[in-house]
Amino acid sequence: MRERAILDAARTLAAERSIRAITLTDIAEEVGMHKSALLRYFETREEIFLRLTADGWREWTPVLCERLSGASRPSEVADAFATTLGARGLLCDLFAQTPMNLERNVSVEAVRTYKLTSGEHLGVISAAARRALPGLSDDAARDLVAVAVSVAGTFWQISTPPPEIAALYRDDPRLGHALIEFEPRLRRILTAYLDGSLALA
């Protein structure tokens, strides 16, 4: 129960601001405990957010697979990824932070546990993508998930700048290219990837 309370507190804070800005002290204060007590449950802030990333895979996978069950064209598969990821900003933020930070200040066992979880769900999603598009190879389906997760993590950061930076992009016509819409851009890229992969099959 205490672990879940810590994870819930971290999730609440992450919904309000960037993961990068949240400290262990912030999480301890949110859950109402001292930082030293929190360290009995999690070694680092990265371990907390890595656990949340694994939780994110578990929540996202069945929702995405349900959407994929009704898809039969590359554009529909791409749309399933784009819309379900677009509705999960925290997960996209976590995807961006995982290889850069979250896997680097935790125990080897924590990384092993996370990788087993993400690998399991990658397999489930890629199988669902192949059912939707039977011409897609196993490697191409797995690459689809990797591309979607990687691009979503990057594009979420770009498409949600701090308010003052967003205002800068809007006010200076020369910087209009820096304003991107997350779902349409991700949808176009994944559709192009799928069209190319099917053409090469």
Side-chain angles (χ1 to χ4, degrees):
M1 290 177 63
R2 182 65 75 173
E3 279 192 4
R4 180 47 54 187
I6 293 169
L7 291 169
D8 288 344
R11 184 182 293 106
T12 297
L13 291 171
E16 300 170 355
R17 50 191 154 124
S18 170
I19 291 168
R20 295 185 302 277
I22 300 169
T23 66
L24 269 178
T25 301
D26 294 332
I27 298 170
E29 289 177 353
E30 179 72 19
V31 81
M33 63 192 302
H34 194 274
K35 178 180 172 181
S36 61
L38 185 150
L39 289 171
R40 292 202 296 268
Y41 298 92
F42 294 96
E43 296 177 358
T44 62
R45 64 177 290 281
E46 288 80 8
E47 184 181 4
I48 294 170
F49 287 116
L50 196 61
R51 282 276 298 274
L52 288 181
T53 312
D55 287 349
W57 278 101
R58 295 185 188 98
E59 187 276 331
W60 176 51
T61 297
V63 175
L64 173 59
C65 288
E66 175 65 24
R67 287 289 305 274
L68 290 173
S69 68
S72 59
R73 296 182 298 175
S75 61
E76 294 171 340
V77 170
D79 183 68
F81 276 90
T83 54
T84 57
L85 286 168
R88 290 166 174 76
L90 173 57
L91 183 58
C92 292
D93 195 8
L94 288 165
F95 282 153
Q97 301 303 319
T98 297
M100 293 192 302
N101 301 305
L102 304 184
E103 294 179 345
R104 297 178 182 272
N105 192 27
V106 296
S107 68
V108 170
E109 194 53 41
V111 174
R112 185 200 318 278
T113 300
Y114 171 72
K115 289 297 189 184
L116 288 172
T117 298
S118 61
E120 175 188 349
H121 290 277
L122 185 153
V124 172
I125 294 171
S126 62
R130 289 196 70 191
R131 287 192 295 273
L133 300 173
L136 206 62
S137 71
D138 185 56
D139 284 344
R142 287 179 169 271
D143 287 347
L144 167 66
V145 183
V147 170
V149 166
S150 300
V151 174
T154 299
F155 280 1
W156 188 259
Q157 309 301 317
I158 298 170
S159 65
T160 57
E164 63 275 14
I165 301 301
L168 170 67
Y169 294 160
R170 289 193 301 269
D171 295 342
D172 190 333
R174 298 169 299 175
L175 302 178
H177 65 279
L179 286 169
I180 71 167
E181 294 185 74
F182 178 86
E183 287 187 31
R185 182 73 66 90
L186 182 58
R187 188 179 295 112
R188 287 198 302 272
I189 287 174
L190 295 181
T191 299
Y193 168 79
L194 288 167
D195 286 341
S197 293
L198 291 168
L200 292 172

